[in-house]
Amino acid sequence: MEDLWVRGGRILDPEKLFFEERRVADEQRDCGGRILAPGFIDVQINGGFGVDFSKATEDVGSGVALVARRLLPHGVTSFCPTLVTSPPEVYHKCLTGLLCFRKTDLMASFSASDLLADEAVLPQIPVKSGGPHGAGVLGVHLEGPFISREKRGAHPEAYLRSFEANAFHDVLATYGPLDNVCIVTLAPELDRSHEVIQALTAQGIRVSLGHSVADLQAAEVAVQSGATFITHLFNAMLPFHHRDPGIVGLLTSDQLPPGHCIFYGMIADGIHTNPAALRIAHRAHPQGLVLVTDAVPALGLGNGRHTLGQQEVEVDGLIAYIAGTKTLSGSIAPMDVCIRHFLQATGCSVESALEAASLHPAQLLGLEKTKGSLDFGADADFVVLDDALHVQATYISGELVWQAEEAGP
């Protein structure tokens, strides 16, 4: 595409402008032959720049705003704040800070006084569009506590849960209201998980499979029940085995519903996933690959001790560990770094690398008509990149929200 036309925050079909309205552009900007790509979408980010989304504080709003602003230089125009396994009171407080509540039948078990009490703890921060203030918040990703003890990774064992007799009620009792939650990661081998998957997907929430010891059959049943995503493929799950490939086998399974695309997250930070594993996944199922950062609060801070929810994290160079262990604890690589590493490791096309951070996450969330592309009618969220895929400028709704110092208009 040589020219991109924008009006009213959306990408415009210039033919209609020329032939129906007989108008020309009011303002023109020369991008100097650089690459224009859809804005990046990060569906798994635990915090960054000292902000921990899983920490209940009295100022969650300013923390989310800080991360949203600091993501702009990395080309991220939308993201899903991610909460790791936490005690129920943290979910109630944190989620009230991150969400706009609306009353639904499923919330009948929560009284108005309960909701008001939670809102009094943390000021409400609505899911909102991006702009000069920062990247947009698309909804919350709840990773845990309904996950496997054996594959809990950096999640604290003390707060892990299983589903009891009234499974979905347990979910509501743990999380509180689910309005504007967009992804829930759970382990499909847990009893009654299929009931929960069906109930969550009926609310428009994407269910992701992860932190799990599920075999392939259990994973296939979960997808047949409505699951559509795999949380950080290869990490915190059974390794691939030729007689039972486990969750990894979903990439080539012939037991998925017709026309059903399974998406899977990949942490391409050069630490979590060997380049050969990146290549295997991409070549097996390229259209489902979603790049995620899984960034922790230590993102952008350098070496030292930091937090991730209830855990202490130690950063040493490019690696974040649970303090005192060799257990990986998320990533400290921003999205643009992951894209460049993914491109180098897989040898894929530039278009494929960029789609893995834009179009695919938008498709996962059902937002492909407005996000993740430069199609006519889509939101004018895009990035300007040099040939090495370094971000030169970030636009949201057609407005310049960040620009590198050395870059032109």
Side-chain angles (χ1 to χ4, degrees):
M1 178 181 294
E2 294 185 0
D3 297 315
L4 188 72
W5 293 72
V6 176
R7 182 170 65 181
R10 294 187 180 273
I11 296 173
L12 183 68
D13 181 352
E15 287 193 9
K16 293 184 178 180
L17 192 72
F18 295 149
F19 297 111
E20 295 180 12
E21 301 182 33
R22 300 185 182 279
R23 295 187 57 184
V24 296
D26 298 315
E27 179 183 353
Q28 297 184 39
R29 296 190 181 186
D30 183 0
C31 295
R34 300 187 183 100
I35 298 169
L36 259 64
F40 306 145
I41 301 171
D42 194 351
V43 301
Q44 187 176 7
I45 174 171
N46 308 289
F49 316 104
V51 176
D52 187 342
F53 295 144
S54 298
K55 279 285 187 183
T57 71
E58 294 183 356
D59 204 12
V60 170
S62 64
V64 174
L66 185 151
V67 173
R69 185 172 65 252
R70 296 285 296 274
L71 290 177
L72 296 178
H74 302 290
V76 175
T77 54
S78 302
F79 69 109
C80 300
T82 303
L83 273 62
V84 297
T85 296
S86 303
E89 61 268 21
V90 169
Y91 290 113
H92 292 177
K93 294 176 182 179
C94 284
L95 285 177
T96 304
L98 287 166
L99 304 183
C100 277
F101 288 129
R102 65 179 183 271
K103 192 171 183 180
T104 70
D105 292 339
L106 286 170
M107 290 165 54
S109 60
F110 297 89
S111 68
S113 61
D114 289 335
L115 296 181
L116 289 173
D118 275 349
E119 287 184 350
V121 175
L122 291 175
Q124 187 174 339
I125 303 174
V127 169
K128 61 182 180 180
S129 300
H133 56 273
V137 176
L138 298 175
V140 176
H141 180 170
L142 299 175
E143 186 185 9
F146 301 101
I147 59 175
S148 162
R149 293 184 184 276
E150 294 92 330
K151 292 295 181 180
R152 65 185 182 274
H155 292 242
E157 184 175 8
Y159 300 112
L160 298 183
R161 292 179 59 94
S162 57
F163 301 119
E164 304 301 331
N166 193 348
F168 191 57
H169 184 81
D170 290 342
V171 172
L172 293 176
T174 299
Y175 293 142
L178 295 173
D179 290 355
N180 290 337
V181 172
C182 62
I183 304 174
V184 172
T185 291
L186 55 79
E189 71 273 15
L190 297 179
D191 287 344
R192 305 179 186 87
S193 64
H194 67 282
E195 302 172 26
V196 173
I197 294 171
Q198 291 171 350
L200 288 171
T201 55
Q203 300 303 305
I205 296 171
R206 272 48 182 177
V207 174
S208 186
L209 311 179
H211 288 277
S212 166
V213 294
D215 59 19
L216 177 57
Q217 183 178 11
E220 289 171 338
V221 170
V223 174
Q224 291 160 6
S225 297
T228 55
F229 193 42
I230 302 170
T231 296
H232 43 52
L233 187 77
F234 296 123
N235 290 279
M237 61 185 61
L238 290 179
F240 180 91
H241 189 280
H242 58 283
R243 281 192 288 274
D244 190 339
I247 289 177
V248 177
L250 288 175
L251 271 62
T252 58
S253 172
D254 60 359
Q255 299 299 310
L256 306 187
H260 189 102
C261 179
I262 186 74
F263 293 94
Y264 59 97
M266 295 292 290
I267 309 171
D269 62 349
I271 304 296
H272 278 77
T273 313
N274 186 279
L278 285 173
R279 289 191 289 272
I280 288 171
H282 179 255
R283 292 174 189 177
H285 185 36
Q287 66 270 32
L289 195 148
V290 175
L291 287 175
V292 299
T293 63
D294 197 19
V296 294
L299 171 67
L301 298 185
N303 291 347
R305 292 214 167 191
H306 311 278
T307 66
L308 175 59
Q310 309 299 307
Q311 305 272 42
E312 192 170 50
V313 172
E314 188 163 6
V315 173
D316 181 11
L318 300 176
I319 308 176
Y321 297 112
I322 292 295
T325 76
K326 289 300 181 181
T327 299
L328 290 177
S329 177
S331 168
I332 51 173
M335 182 61 80
D336 55 327
V337 170
C338 291
I339 292 170
R340 292 193 293 271
H341 177 73
F342 176 71
L343 177 68
Q344 180 184 20
T346 63
C348 69
S349 67
V350 170
E351 292 83 355
S352 293
L354 295 173
E355 285 181 349
S358 54
L359 177 61
H360 296 176
Q363 291 172 331
L364 162 68
L365 297 175
L367 300 175
E368 65 271 17
K369 291 185 178 179
T370 56
K371 303 288 185 185
S373 79
L374 301 180
D375 293 343
F376 300 145
D379 293 343
D381 299 348
F382 56 91
V383 292
V384 181
L385 307 162
D386 64 19
D387 289 341
L389 301 188
H390 291 94
V391 180
Q392 303 300 301
T394 304
Y395 288 76
I396 295 179
S397 296
E399 184 176 0
L400 178 65
V401 295
W402 180 85
Q403 185 173 12
E405 292 182 3
E406 70 277 10

